[in-house]
Amino acid sequence: MTMNRLPGRSLRLLAILYCLGLQRAFLIPALAQSTVVKGQVIDAESGERLPNANVMVKGTRLGAATNVEGYFVIHAAPDTGVVLIVRYVGYQKLEVALDPAHASQAVLVKLKQSSVLLGEVLVQGEQSTFIRAEGQASLTTLSPRQLESLPRIGQTDIMRSLQYLPGVSNTNDASSGLYVRGGTPDQNLILFDGMTVYHVDHFYGFFSAFNPDAVKDIRFYRGGYPAEYGGRLSSVVDITGYSGNREHSHFGVGVNLLSANGIAEVPLFDKGSVLVAARRSYYDIINSGAYDKLYQFLTGNSRQTVGGGPRAFSGGGPRGNLAVVEQTEPKSDFLDLNAKVTLSVTTDDLLIASFYRSLDSQDQSTDSTTQAIAGFSRGFTRPPTTDILDQGNAGASVKWFRRWSDEFFSNTLLAFARYTSDYTFATGGLRTQSQNRLNSSESNSIEDITLNSDHQWSPVANHRFSFGLQAVRSSASYGLSASTPFNENPSNVLVRAQNQTQLSLYGQDAWSMTPVFQITPGLRLTQYSGTQQFYLEPRLGLRYTLTETISLKAASGRYHQFCNRIVNENLSQGSRDFWLLSDSELEPATSTDYVVGGSYETPDFLFDLELYHKTAQNIVEFSQRFRRGTDESYSFYKGSSQSNGMEVLLQKKSGMFNGWVSYTLSKTENTFPELNSGKTFPALQDQRHELKTVATLNFAEDWLLSAVFVFATGKPYSSPVSQYMLTLLDGSTYQYTHVGDKNAYRLPNYQRVDVSLAYQGTMANRTWKIGVSAFNLLNHKNVAYYQYDLTTTPMTIREITGLSFTPTIFVQLDIN
């Protein structure tokens, strides 16, 4: 076994300084009299425990964040006159004065939710709105309840809401996946109650895979994340599921033009709660005359159908009159289910069981069409195509939370996660005998079983230790077969089956060296069976508070990824992806990032600026068009990437009018020695400029108007540049297509405006909400990608566009 090289001198110096700091913290007693403040933060109405709430001692810089079950402890607090200021995103700020006679007893803090629709927050004066940029570099906390006011397609969308933040691309209508700081969606660790979620899309990307009714808290690390997380290169989205109402039963139903949702919460014998939440789409209703009439009434146009007629290509690039273009819109439906049981076994022990299941189906099949084409002497007949994709997630977790003392907590988690994908493509129909028949099929699955043991210990003032271990057993399988007009018998292009194990240990300390300076060093050590190597990952976070409103921050870390989402570039059918595990051939990817920034924050405004530099090695691409020989390993290419960028966030946090503006300037380039003649080329996710504005206006107490504007420069893509016939030695002819440099062309600029108007009312124990939302209000055509049919003469280019103007009506009823 081997060990990755470590940064020796700087790491040793940091260790020496850290040990001296520990000695001072443990051996030098506090000169002033002090006390320990401890307690728990919960929801005032439901009893839900609130993680990551911010608890500060008024008039000091002392404070702490609550753990996953809402507990906190603050050392060295004044022994008299203690007032706690408690904040949690989506809730009203609360000040709690402690009774000096009972200062050593645990305090229970009950927070009330901020309702952006009923005017409560206007009375309070200060609110924790949709998002909160935390003091730690690149960390943002979001409130699922507050996100309900943003424009949506159907129900509130968790992942698309993250795309409004700086450093995250918001230009892919067909996916809720996150492209963070030049990374790809597979480089994000997505956790839901400890379960890994590999696929985050629903309904052709219109929805994310998370039902907002089942979500309590979202922690989003765009980089520089702590040592407790590992296995990904770019970011972490840690989602805590809603446990359910412990005080009384609650039922809710919602409906919109795309789907229906429902939730049920029931207390469990005064010891916990049971929650069940479900969503289902109904495309059969959407595709009926009712939706078509609404669409035509609002736009004055008929709705496009799959397999629309071809038209002359008029876009940029080298194609000219090379081909004809078709437009298509897919059919899609989904179903998902969340269930959670929470049981307080004792006052110090909590058992939580969580379950998640999702199913998705997409159909882009087309019928045979015949059209006359301007400029050509003969008509064009396109054979029918079969294009079907089925995907699904499944997951379950069981967690035991234990409070050993006021300073020491532990979480033990056992989780299972599985993702499956099956894709079929055929021209001429699956059973049609055709000279131009082209068939392919892909099947992919990845699953893991994870055991975590995480611990948090705050023995003295200024230090909070986190440490633990993790064991993961992973398996993946992939099969790709294809036939061509010259060989209709399907042949295996690539077949793989893998099983690997990784064992990890980690430790870190949030150390407040002075009241204004905090350093958080951490280490993570992983042994991976696929390469029989150890991987050591140092992490470091810094924060320096200049004044009460101005602070500086920095973070750095090394990360490894042991599973890969491989992009299968296919010009004729559109690029897709599949998951494989790392091994001795596909070595684990490695990245290092550096983040520096600063913020200026008042109760009403926040200005946040961050600069980042990130490099990655052993990233993988797969392409059949570059394949040499017959060995499947020649289809994989290893390379490196580099991302640099600047992110700006300006947020107005309170008042009738609030929201934020974010701007990202970035550049991401890849270098593969065996691709593009070894020349550096833009990554598929490279996007130089992206501007996003989110605004909400609360008026007439019960009405809320919100709007979103997105503008971004075009992403790169590869394109054929010419097509001609070759005469072979035996006299037969072969149609040859020459493809230009990799990602040498740019899609048109992207822009979109979304709006939403909602009204909320109450009657007895019922709360109801009704609203209308419009996606892409100006009906701007945003090109997602081009799809090329190389079996026709001339070659057909299908222009796949993003979602056009789409209105939706939503209704939600909650009964307590």
Side-chain angles (χ1 to χ4, degrees), residues 758-797:
Y759 175 81
Q760 179 171 305
T762 59
M763 181 180 297
N765 63 339
R766 295 172 175 83
T767 301
W768 53 274
K769 183 188 305 179
I770 185 170
V772 60
S773 185
F775 182 90
N776 197 0
L777 178 67
L778 302 181
N779 201 31
H780 188 271
K781 186 183 73 173
N782 295 303
V783 178
Y785 62 93
Y786 300 112
Q787 191 176 84
Y788 304 87
D789 187 346
L790 307 180
T791 65
T792 63
T793 304
M795 175 177 57
T796 302
I797 303 175

Short mmCIF file of all heavy atoms in Angstrom, two decimals, residues 758-797:
data_model
loop_
_atom_site.label_atom_id
_atom_site.label_comp_id
_atom_site.label_asym_id
_atom_site.label_seq_id
_atom_site.Cartn_x
_atom_site.Cartn_y
_atom_site.Cartn_z
N ALA A 758 -48.76 35.02 -5.53
CA ALA A 758 -49.41 34.08 -4.61
C ALA A 758 -50.24 34.84 -3.58
O ALA A 758 -49.92 35.96 -3.18
CB ALA A 758 -48.37 33.21 -3.92
N TYR A 759 -51.31 34.18 -3.14
CA TYR A 759 -52.18 34.71 -2.08
C TYR A 759 -52.40 33.60 -1.05
O TYR A 759 -52.64 32.44 -1.40
CB TYR A 759 -53.53 35.15 -2.65
CG TYR A 759 -54.52 35.59 -1.58
CD1 TYR A 759 -54.45 36.88 -1.05
CD2 TYR A 759 -55.49 34.72 -1.10
CE1 TYR A 759 -55.35 37.29 -0.08
CE2 TYR A 759 -56.38 35.12 -0.12
CZ TYR A 759 -56.30 36.40 0.40
OH TYR A 759 -57.18 36.81 1.37
N GLN A 760 -52.31 33.97 0.22
CA GLN A 760 -52.50 32.99 1.29
C GLN A 760 -53.54 33.49 2.27
O GLN A 760 -53.57 34.67 2.62
CB GLN A 760 -51.18 32.74 2.02
CG GLN A 760 -51.32 31.73 3.18
CD GLN A 760 -49.97 31.34 3.74
OE1 GLN A 760 -49.10 30.89 3.02
NE2 GLN A 760 -49.80 31.53 5.05
N GLY A 761 -54.40 32.58 2.72
CA GLY A 761 -55.42 32.92 3.69
C GLY A 761 -55.57 31.83 4.73
O GLY A 761 -55.08 30.70 4.57
N THR A 762 -56.23 32.13 5.82
CA THR A 762 -56.48 31.17 6.90
C THR A 762 -57.94 31.20 7.28
O THR A 762 -58.62 32.23 7.20
CB THR A 762 -55.62 31.49 8.14
OG1 THR A 762 -55.92 32.81 8.59
CG2 THR A 762 -54.14 31.40 7.82
N MET A 763 -58.42 30.03 7.72
CA MET A 763 -59.80 29.91 8.19
C MET A 763 -59.83 28.75 9.19
O MET A 763 -59.56 27.60 8.81
CB MET A 763 -60.76 29.65 7.03
CG MET A 763 -62.23 29.53 7.46
SD MET A 763 -63.31 29.24 6.05
CE MET A 763 -63.06 30.74 5.12
N ALA A 764 -60.14 29.08 10.45
CA ALA A 764 -60.15 28.07 11.51
C ALA A 764 -58.77 27.41 11.56
O ALA A 764 -57.76 28.08 11.69
CB ALA A 764 -61.27 27.07 11.29
N ASN A 765 -58.72 26.07 11.44
CA ASN A 765 -57.45 25.35 11.48
C ASN A 765 -56.93 25.02 10.10
O ASN A 765 -56.12 24.12 9.93
CB ASN A 765 -57.61 24.07 12.29
CG ASN A 765 -58.60 23.11 11.64
OD1 ASN A 765 -59.45 23.53 10.84
ND2 ASN A 765 -58.49 21.83 11.98
N ARG A 766 -57.39 25.75 9.10
CA ARG A 766 -56.98 25.50 7.72
C ARG A 766 -56.22 26.70 7.17
O ARG A 766 -56.61 27.84 7.36
CB ARG A 766 -58.19 25.19 6.83
CG ARG A 766 -58.90 23.90 7.20
CD ARG A 766 -60.20 23.76 6.42
NE ARG A 766 -60.86 22.48 6.67
CZ ARG A 766 -61.64 22.24 7.71
NH1 ARG A 766 -61.86 23.21 8.58
NH2 ARG A 766 -62.18 21.05 7.88
N THR A 767 -55.15 26.40 6.47
CA THR A 767 -54.37 27.41 5.75
C THR A 767 -54.35 27.03 4.29
O THR A 767 -54.04 25.88 3.95
CB THR A 767 -52.94 27.51 6.29
OG1 THR A 767 -52.96 27.83 7.68
CG2 THR A 767 -52.15 28.57 5.55
N TRP A 768 -54.68 27.96 3.43
CA TRP A 768 -54.70 27.66 2.01
C TRP A 768 -53.92 28.72 1.24
O TRP A 768 -53.79 29.86 1.65
CB TRP A 768 -56.13 27.56 1.48
CG TRP A 768 -56.99 28.76 1.78
CD1 TRP A 768 -57.72 28.99 2.90
CD2 TRP A 768 -57.19 29.89 0.93
NE1 TRP A 768 -58.36 30.19 2.82
CE2 TRP A 768 -58.07 30.77 1.61
CE3 TRP A 768 -56.74 30.24 -0.33
CZ2 TRP A 768 -58.47 31.98 1.07
CZ3 TRP A 768 -57.15 31.45 -0.88
CH2 TRP A 768 -58.01 32.30 -0.18
N LYS A 769 -53.38 28.30 0.12
CA LYS A 769 -52.56 29.16 -0.70
C LYS A 769 -52.89 28.89 -2.16
O LYS A 769 -53.03 27.73 -2.57
CB LYS A 769 -51.08 28.90 -0.44
CG LYS A 769 -50.12 29.80 -1.20
CD LYS A 769 -48.68 29.35 -1.05
CE LYS A 769 -48.31 29.25 0.43
NZ LYS A 769 -46.92 28.78 0.61
N ILE A 770 -53.00 29.94 -2.94
CA ILE A 770 -53.26 29.81 -4.36
C ILE A 770 -52.37 30.80 -5.10
O ILE A 770 -52.10 31.90 -4.61
CB ILE A 770 -54.75 30.06 -4.70
CG1 ILE A 770 -55.01 29.80 -6.19
CG2 ILE A 770 -55.18 31.46 -4.31
CD1 ILE A 770 -56.48 29.79 -6.55
N GLY A 771 -51.88 30.40 -6.25
CA GLY A 771 -51.00 31.30 -6.98
C GLY A 771 -50.84 30.87 -8.43
O GLY A 771 -51.28 29.80 -8.86
N VAL A 772 -50.22 31.75 -9.19
CA VAL A 772 -49.91 31.48 -10.58
C VAL A 772 -48.44 31.81 -10.80
O VAL A 772 -47.91 32.76 -10.22
CB VAL A 772 -50.81 32.31 -11.53
CG1 VAL A 772 -50.63 33.80 -11.29
CG2 VAL A 772 -50.51 31.97 -12.98
N SER A 773 -47.78 30.99 -11.59
CA SER A 773 -46.36 31.17 -11.86
C SER A 773 -46.11 30.99 -13.35
O SER A 773 -46.79 30.19 -14.00
CB SER A 773 -45.53 30.17 -11.05
OG SER A 773 -44.14 30.41 -11.20
N ALA A 774 -45.17 31.73 -13.88
CA ALA A 774 -44.84 31.64 -15.30
C ALA A 774 -43.34 31.46 -15.45
O ALA A 774 -42.55 32.28 -14.97
CB ALA A 774 -45.29 32.88 -16.06
N PHE A 775 -42.94 30.38 -16.11
CA PHE A 775 -41.55 30.10 -16.41
C PHE A 775 -41.24 30.63 -17.81
O PHE A 775 -42.00 30.41 -18.74
CB PHE A 775 -41.30 28.59 -16.34
CG PHE A 775 -39.88 28.18 -16.59
CD1 PHE A 775 -38.98 28.08 -15.54
CD2 PHE A 775 -39.43 27.89 -17.87
CE1 PHE A 775 -37.67 27.69 -15.76
CE2 PHE A 775 -38.13 27.50 -18.11
CZ PHE A 775 -37.24 27.40 -17.05
N ASN A 776 -40.13 31.35 -17.96
CA ASN A 776 -39.73 31.93 -19.25
C ASN A 776 -40.85 32.83 -19.78
O ASN A 776 -41.40 32.62 -20.87
CB ASN A 776 -39.39 30.83 -20.26
CG ASN A 776 -38.59 31.35 -21.44
OD1 ASN A 776 -38.28 32.53 -21.52
ND2 ASN A 776 -38.26 30.45 -22.35
N LEU A 777 -41.19 33.85 -19.01
CA LEU A 777 -42.31 34.73 -19.31
C LEU A 777 -42.21 35.35 -20.70
O LEU A 777 -43.21 35.49 -21.41
CB LEU A 777 -42.39 35.83 -18.25
CG LEU A 777 -43.48 36.89 -18.44
CD1 LEU A 777 -44.86 36.26 -18.26
CD2 LEU A 777 -43.27 38.04 -17.46
N LEU A 778 -41.01 35.72 -21.15
CA LEU A 778 -40.82 36.37 -22.44
C LEU A 778 -40.68 35.37 -23.58
O LEU A 778 -40.45 35.76 -24.72
CB LEU A 778 -39.59 37.28 -22.39
CG LEU A 778 -39.62 38.37 -21.32
CD1 LEU A 778 -38.37 39.23 -21.38
CD2 LEU A 778 -40.87 39.22 -21.43
N ASN A 779 -40.82 34.07 -23.26
CA ASN A 779 -40.80 33.01 -24.27
C ASN A 779 -39.52 33.05 -25.11
O ASN A 779 -39.54 32.84 -26.33
CB ASN A 779 -42.03 33.12 -25.19
CG ASN A 779 -42.33 31.81 -25.91
OD1 ASN A 779 -42.06 30.73 -25.38
ND2 ASN A 779 -42.86 31.90 -27.10
N HIS A 780 -38.40 33.30 -24.47
CA HIS A 780 -37.13 33.33 -25.18
C HIS A 780 -36.68 31.90 -25.49
O HIS A 780 -36.71 31.03 -24.63
CB HIS A 780 -36.07 34.03 -24.33
CG HIS A 780 -34.78 34.28 -25.04
ND1 HIS A 780 -33.75 33.38 -25.05
CD2 HIS A 780 -34.37 35.33 -25.79
CE1 HIS A 780 -32.74 33.86 -25.75
NE2 HIS A 780 -33.09 35.06 -26.21
N LYS A 781 -36.28 31.66 -26.72
CA LYS A 781 -35.83 30.34 -27.12
C LYS A 781 -34.37 30.15 -26.72
O LYS A 781 -33.48 30.79 -27.28
CB LYS A 781 -35.98 30.13 -28.63
CG LYS A 781 -35.67 28.71 -29.07
CD LYS A 781 -35.74 28.54 -30.57
CE LYS A 781 -34.57 29.20 -31.25
NZ LYS A 781 -34.52 28.92 -32.70
N ASN A 782 -34.13 29.28 -25.76
CA ASN A 782 -32.78 28.97 -25.30
C ASN A 782 -32.37 27.59 -25.81
O ASN A 782 -33.00 26.58 -25.46
CB ASN A 782 -32.72 29.00 -23.77
CG ASN A 782 -32.97 30.38 -23.22
OD1 ASN A 782 -32.27 31.33 -23.55
ND2 ASN A 782 -34.00 30.51 -22.37
N VAL A 783 -31.36 27.53 -26.64
CA VAL A 783 -30.91 26.27 -27.21
C VAL A 783 -30.14 25.49 -26.16
O VAL A 783 -29.15 25.98 -25.60
CB VAL A 783 -30.04 26.50 -28.45
CG1 VAL A 783 -29.55 25.17 -29.01
CG2 VAL A 783 -30.81 27.27 -29.51
N ALA A 784 -30.59 24.26 -25.89
CA ALA A 784 -29.92 23.40 -24.92
C ALA A 784 -28.76 22.65 -25.56
O ALA A 784 -27.66 22.60 -25.02
CB ALA A 784 -30.91 22.42 -24.30
N TYR A 785 -29.00 22.04 -26.71
CA TYR A 785 -27.94 21.35 -27.45
C TYR A 785 -28.49 21.00 -28.83
O TYR A 785 -29.69 21.14 -29.11
CB TYR A 785 -27.45 20.09 -26.72
CG TYR A 785 -28.48 19.02 -26.52
CD1 TYR A 785 -28.64 17.97 -27.44
CD2 TYR A 785 -29.30 19.01 -25.39
CE1 TYR A 785 -29.58 16.98 -27.25
CE2 TYR A 785 -30.24 18.02 -25.19
CZ TYR A 785 -30.38 17.00 -26.12
OH TYR A 785 -31.32 16.03 -25.93
N TYR A 786 -27.61 20.54 -29.71
CA TYR A 786 -27.98 20.09 -31.04
C TYR A 786 -27.79 18.57 -31.11
O TYR A 786 -26.81 18.03 -30.62
CB TYR A 786 -27.13 20.76 -32.11
CG TYR A 786 -27.24 22.26 -32.14
CD1 TYR A 786 -26.16 23.07 -31.78
CD2 TYR A 786 -28.42 22.88 -32.52
CE1 TYR A 786 -26.27 24.45 -31.79
CE2 TYR A 786 -28.54 24.26 -32.54
CZ TYR A 786 -27.45 25.04 -32.17
OH TYR A 786 -27.56 26.40 -32.19
N GLN A 787 -28.75 17.91 -31.75
CA GLN A 787 -28.69 16.46 -31.91
C GLN A 787 -28.59 16.15 -33.41
O GLN A 787 -29.36 16.68 -34.21
CB GLN A 787 -29.94 15.82 -31.31
CG GLN A 787 -29.87 14.32 -31.18
CD GLN A 787 -31.11 13.77 -30.49
OE1 GLN A 787 -32.13 13.54 -31.13
NE2 GLN A 787 -31.04 13.58 -29.19
N TYR A 788 -27.65 15.30 -33.77
CA TYR A 788 -27.33 15.06 -35.18
C TYR A 788 -27.72 13.64 -35.58
O TYR A 788 -27.32 12.67 -34.93
CB TYR A 788 -25.83 15.27 -35.44
CG TYR A 788 -25.34 16.63 -35.04
CD1 TYR A 788 -24.90 16.88 -33.72
CD2 TYR A 788 -25.31 17.68 -35.94
CE1 TYR A 788 -24.45 18.13 -33.35
CE2 TYR A 788 -24.86 18.94 -35.58
CZ TYR A 788 -24.44 19.15 -34.28
OH TYR A 788 -24.01 20.40 -33.90
N ASP A 789 -28.49 13.52 -36.67
CA ASP A 789 -28.83 12.21 -37.24
C ASP A 789 -27.93 12.00 -38.45
O ASP A 789 -28.11 12.60 -39.51
CB ASP A 789 -30.31 12.19 -37.65
CG ASP A 789 -30.75 10.80 -38.09
OD1 ASP A 789 -29.88 9.94 -38.32
OD2 ASP A 789 -31.97 10.58 -38.20
N LEU A 790 -26.93 11.13 -38.29
CA LEU A 790 -25.94 10.90 -39.34
C LEU A 790 -26.38 9.85 -40.35
O LEU A 790 -25.64 9.56 -41.29
CB LEU A 790 -24.62 10.47 -38.70
CG LEU A 790 -24.08 11.40 -37.60
CD1 LEU A 790 -22.77 10.86 -37.05
CD2 LEU A 790 -23.91 12.81 -38.11
N THR A 791 -27.57 9.25 -40.17
CA THR A 791 -28.02 8.21 -41.09
C THR A 791 -28.79 8.78 -42.27
O THR A 791 -29.18 8.04 -43.17
CB THR A 791 -28.92 7.20 -40.35
OG1 THR A 791 -30.12 7.86 -39.92
CG2 THR A 791 -28.19 6.63 -39.14
N THR A 792 -29.07 10.07 -42.29
CA THR A 792 -29.84 10.68 -43.37
C THR A 792 -28.93 11.51 -44.26
O THR A 792 -27.85 11.95 -43.85
CB THR A 792 -30.95 11.57 -42.80
OG1 THR A 792 -30.37 12.65 -42.07
CG2 THR A 792 -31.87 10.78 -41.88
N THR A 793 -29.37 11.73 -45.49
CA THR A 793 -28.68 12.59 -46.43
C THR A 793 -29.68 13.60 -46.97
O THR A 793 -30.63 13.21 -47.65
CB THR A 793 -28.06 11.80 -47.59
OG1 THR A 793 -27.19 10.79 -47.06
CG2 THR A 793 -27.27 12.72 -48.51
N PRO A 794 -29.53 14.89 -46.70
CA PRO A 794 -28.47 15.47 -45.86
C PRO A 794 -28.66 15.14 -44.38
O PRO A 794 -29.74 14.74 -43.97
CB PRO A 794 -28.62 16.96 -46.10
CG PRO A 794 -30.09 17.12 -46.36
CD PRO A 794 -30.49 15.91 -47.16
N MET A 795 -27.61 15.32 -43.60
CA MET A 795 -27.66 15.07 -42.17
C MET A 795 -28.72 15.97 -41.51
O MET A 795 -28.87 17.13 -41.87
CB MET A 795 -26.30 15.36 -41.56
CG MET A 795 -26.23 15.25 -40.05
SD MET A 795 -24.56 15.53 -39.45
CE MET A 795 -24.23 17.15 -40.12
N THR A 796 -29.47 15.39 -40.57
CA THR A 796 -30.52 16.13 -39.87
C THR A 796 -30.01 16.63 -38.52
O THR A 796 -29.38 15.87 -37.78
CB THR A 796 -31.75 15.24 -39.65
OG1 THR A 796 -32.21 14.77 -40.91
CG2 THR A 796 -32.86 16.03 -38.97
N ILE A 797 -30.26 17.88 -38.25
CA ILE A 797 -29.89 18.47 -36.96
C ILE A 797 -31.17 18.79 -36.21
O ILE A 797 -32.01 19.55 -36.70
CB ILE A 797 -29.07 19.76 -37.14
CG1 ILE A 797 -27.82 19.49 -37.96
CG2 ILE A 797 -28.69 20.33 -35.77
CD1 ILE A 797 -27.03 20.74 -38.28
#
